[in-house]
Amino acid sequence: METSNHAFSDLFAQLGLPGDAAAITRFITTHRPLPEDVELADAPFWTPAQAAFLREELGEDADWAELVDQLNAALR
């Protein structure tokens, strides 16, 4: 696995979402709890492009995977 030099706010920017602390908190509060039987990328609030990005990053254990895991945990 590659180590990431990105901040959590960078992941939100990569997803095309506001990345300031208040916006991140609002996003997580609005969309949690994500049911355990729903994969993060299958959540209904993602656009197709966002879902594809999340799947790709996790599937390849890529640069953003650690932060995607953190987002997944925050939404549970």
Side-chain angles (χ1 to χ4, degrees):
M1 180 171 124
E2 296 178 27
T3 56
S4 173
N5 292 322
H6 304 293
F8 201 51
S9 59
D10 295 335
L11 175 61
F12 277 74
Q14 185 71 19
L15 290 165
L17 301 170
D20 60 276
I24 292 171
T25 299
R26 189 170 41 255
F27 180 88
I28 292 169
T29 301
T30 300
H31 296 295
R32 71 181 301 209
L34 185 61
E36 290 297 325
D37 63 336
V38 175
E39 294 290 330
L40 178 63
D42 293 333
F45 45 81
W46 300 122
T47 67
Q50 290 168 326
F53 170 77
L54 294 168
R55 274 190 199 89
E56 180 178 311
E57 294 303 303
L58 286 175
E60 296 178 6
D61 203 16
D63 191 39
W64 295 96
E66 183 178 337
L67 292 172
V68 173
D69 284 338
Q70 289 177 21
L71 176 59
N72 187 38
L75 287 167
R76 302 298 170 164

